[in-house]
Amino acid sequence: METVKVEDFGPESEVEDLGRYVDEISTTVNRLEQKVNDVEQFYLTTDNMELTVTKSNSACKEKVQEKQLTGTEKQRQEVSHRKAASMKRMQELMRQFATILRQITQHKWAHPFMHPVDVEGLGLHDYYEVVQKPMDFGTIKSKMEAKDCTGYKNVRELYSDVRLVFKNAMKYNDERHDVHIMAKTLLEKFEEKWLQLLPKVAEEEKRLVEEEAKAEQDVKLAQEAVHANMAKELSNELCEVDLQLEKLRQMVIQKCRKMSTEEKKKLGMALTRLSPEDLSKALEIVAENNPGFQPTAQEVDLDIDAQSELTLWRLKFFVQDKLKHAGKCSEVVDCNNINNNENTVKSNSKRRREMSDALTKNAIKRNRKLSPNS
């Protein structure tokens, strides 16, 4: 059985046309392969993250997938609204804290803490050795009024600095010193007022944590929606490549010359060298263009001479490929001169199947994640 040669496909111009068609399909396959790698990498990364998926989250995913663009825009709006609402609530807490601070700074004993300690003027040469982070109400006020990123981000930061004013004074001055006593008294008054505001602060902090967790989950949902949509598009494109590959295979076979009697004889001999599984597949090829042929019958009588040229050449391609991979190449089948275009078609088909398998594998993983019972 001779191998397929360039001369078998007709005029050189037709062979060049087939070559260009093969190049176009190869380019498409390369592009899809990169997309598949991106999708597969995303799901491999997701596998290493712990995601607790509830029924409501699953419903949300389906909704986002159906209306991806609208959902993304809506998500941006929701994030913007949440940030605005959070900022408004934080400003209200700051306002209430400012009321407390004003009450403390208006106390008759507050004057030593209104400005930075005059270290040189008071001769406190060891002050910075004792106090690592100096703080005073003047500095706090400036930071509260700051419009840039140097301002306080939340009430907890403001609370810490107010305590620091008094703690520094108590740390540097002996407990019998007037400044120490004044600081301790004001700190106690401040803590009493802070305890009244603390429940609201704790509630807001809890709410922020929940909103941040939701925002993070929304981002993950959006990412999964994008990649799910990409996988869906890839699946459609891979089906299109399938059709193109089959069309190309048919074109290649139809361009082949008529098979000689000797070639038919060698093809029949080569068929006997196939494994049982491959032989069954070869018989299925015969059945595709011969409805009356029963490939699964207990006894099969295959008349090579009665087959169409299309079937004969398809069988020849199939047998060459299987015997080559089975390592059964001999004088009957020379496996070293198979036409490059046919090899490219097979290679692209194999790569397409591998990409399709990867998509299917990732889809199964994703479906398991989305399952409410998972």
Side-chain angles (χ1 to χ4, degrees):
M1 176 176 151
E2 298 179 355
T3 57
V4 182
K5 300 180 176 63
V6 175
E7 293 78 5
D8 294 331
F9 299 104
E12 185 176 349
S13 61
E14 293 182 355
V15 175
E16 291 178 355
D17 290 339
L18 290 174
R20 283 193 292 272
Y21 194 26
V22 168
D23 291 340
E24 291 176 4
I25 295 178
S26 295
T27 300
T28 301
V29 169
N30 289 335
R31 177 176 59 82
L32 295 180
E33 188 172 29
Q34 181 59 50
K35 284 188 176 182
V36 169
N37 289 337
D38 292 341
V39 173
E40 189 172 30
Q41 184 60 41
F42 169 78
Y43 284 112
L44 286 174
T45 302
T46 304
D47 284 342
N48 295 328
M49 305 163 101
E50 291 185 4
L51 287 176
T52 303
V53 182
T54 63
K55 293 182 179 179
S56 59
N57 286 337
S58 298
C60 179
K61 289 186 179 184
E62 293 172 2
K63 184 177 180 181
V64 174
Q65 289 171 12
E66 291 172 1
K67 298 182 179 179
Q68 181 183 344
L69 294 179
T70 304
T72 302
E73 182 61 30
K74 184 178 179 182
Q75 181 188 6
R76 291 197 188 111
Q77 293 177 357
E78 289 178 351
V79 170
S80 178
H81 291 327
R82 282 201 301 266
K83 286 183 177 180
S86 175
M87 185 177 296
K88 187 176 180 180
R89 295 193 304 270
M90 186 57 67
Q91 288 174 347
E92 174 58 23
L93 287 174
M94 287 289 197
R95 187 192 66 79
Q96 294 181 40
F97 191 93
T99 300
I100 297 174
L101 185 59
R102 186 166 56 252
Q103 293 171 353
I104 296 297
T105 55
Q106 289 176 352
H107 193 279
K108 61 181 181 179
W109 285 354
H111 63 89
F113 316 108
M114 298 304 296
H115 304 287
V117 175
D118 185 5
V119 176
E120 292 186 5
L122 297 174
L124 308 178
H125 305 299
D126 63 341
Y127 184 80
Y128 294 118
E129 295 177 7
V130 178
V131 177
Q132 282 73 39
K133 184 182 178 183
M135 186 57 59
D136 64 277
F137 289 132
T139 300
I140 291 175
K141 182 180 179 182
S142 298
K143 195 170 180 181
M144 288 179 67
E145 295 173 351
K147 302 299 182 182
D148 55 19
C149 59
T150 62
Y152 291 107
K153 297 181 179 61
N154 54 64
V155 181
R156 287 279 185 182
E157 291 183 358
L158 185 50
Y159 164 74
S160 296
D161 274 358
V162 172
R163 290 187 79 251
L164 186 60
V165 172
F166 300 127
K167 287 292 185 180
N168 284 346
M170 294 166 63
K171 184 177 182 181
Y172 185 77
N173 296 280
D174 185 84
E175 61 182 15
R176 291 172 294 180
H177 195 283
D178 288 345
V179 173
H180 183 106
I181 295 172
M182 295 162 70
K184 183 177 181 180
T185 301
L186 291 178
L187 177 59
E188 290 174 352
K189 291 181 177 295
F190 169 68
E191 292 287 9
E192 288 177 3
K193 296 181 181 297
W194 166 252
L195 288 176
Q196 297 174 11
L197 183 62
L198 184 57
K200 295 181 180 179
V201 175
E203 181 182 354
E204 176 60 21
E205 289 174 338
K206 180 181 178 182
R207 187 169 183 174
L208 282 175
V209 170
E210 292 174 349
E211 288 182 351
E212 288 175 1
K214 185 179 186 304
E216 182 179 351
Q217 183 68 9
D218 287 345
V219 170
K220 292 176 181 178
L221 294 178
Q223 289 177 339
E224 288 197 15
V226 169
H227 285 82
N229 189 60
M230 187 185 297
K232 182 179 179 181
E233 292 176 354
L234 277 170
S235 180
N236 294 334
E237 290 186 84
L238 288 171
C239 289
E240 180 62 27
V241 170
D242 252 346
L243 296 176
Q244 291 178 358
L245 288 171
E246 183 57 29
K247 179 180 178 182
L248 177 59
R249 185 177 291 275
Q250 295 298 329
M251 289 171 59
V252 170
I253 291 174
Q254 289 172 8
K255 297 295 181 181
C256 289
R257 59 174 173 74
K258 187 176 182 179
M259 191 174 290
S260 66
T261 302
E262 182 64 22
E263 287 175 314
K264 292 179 184 179
K265 181 179 178 181
K266 290 182 177 180
L267 175 59
M269 293 174 60
L271 285 169
T272 63
R273 300 170 61 84
L274 294 175
S275 67
E277 181 181 356
D278 289 337
L279 181 58
S280 296
K281 293 179 180 179
L283 295 178
E284 290 175 2
I285 292 176
V286 175
E288 288 181 16
N289 294 303
N290 189 350
F293 184 74
Q294 299 295 327
T296 58
Q298 188 171 1
E299 292 186 5
V300 178
D301 183 14
L302 177 60
D303 185 358
I304 291 291
D305 293 327
Q307 306 306 314
S308 66
E309 291 298 322
L310 177 62
T311 299
L312 290 174
W313 282 101
R314 287 188 65 191
L315 283 173
K316 186 170 185 177
F317 286 136
F318 177 79
V319 171
Q320 284 183 164
D321 182 62
K322 295 303 178 182
L323 292 185
K324 176 183 178 181
H325 286 88
K328 296 182 178 180
C329 302
S330 65
E331 69 280 357
V332 179
V333 182
D334 181 6
C335 296
N336 296 321
N337 297 309
I338 298 178
N339 176 258
N340 289 335
N341 283 345
E342 174 64 12
N343 277 342
T344 304
V345 173
K346 293 174 182 176
S347 175
N348 286 336
S349 181
K350 179 180 179 182
R351 290 167 66 191
R352 191 217 63 78
R353 288 195 302 271
E354 290 174 348
M355 289 190 288
S356 181
D357 290 344
L359 278 178
T360 302
K361 180 180 178 181
N362 286 327
I364 292 173
K365 290 181 179 179
R366 182 174 173 278
N367 287 335
R368 286 175 178 170
K369 284 183 179 181
L370 294 177
S371 173
N373 296 324
S374 61

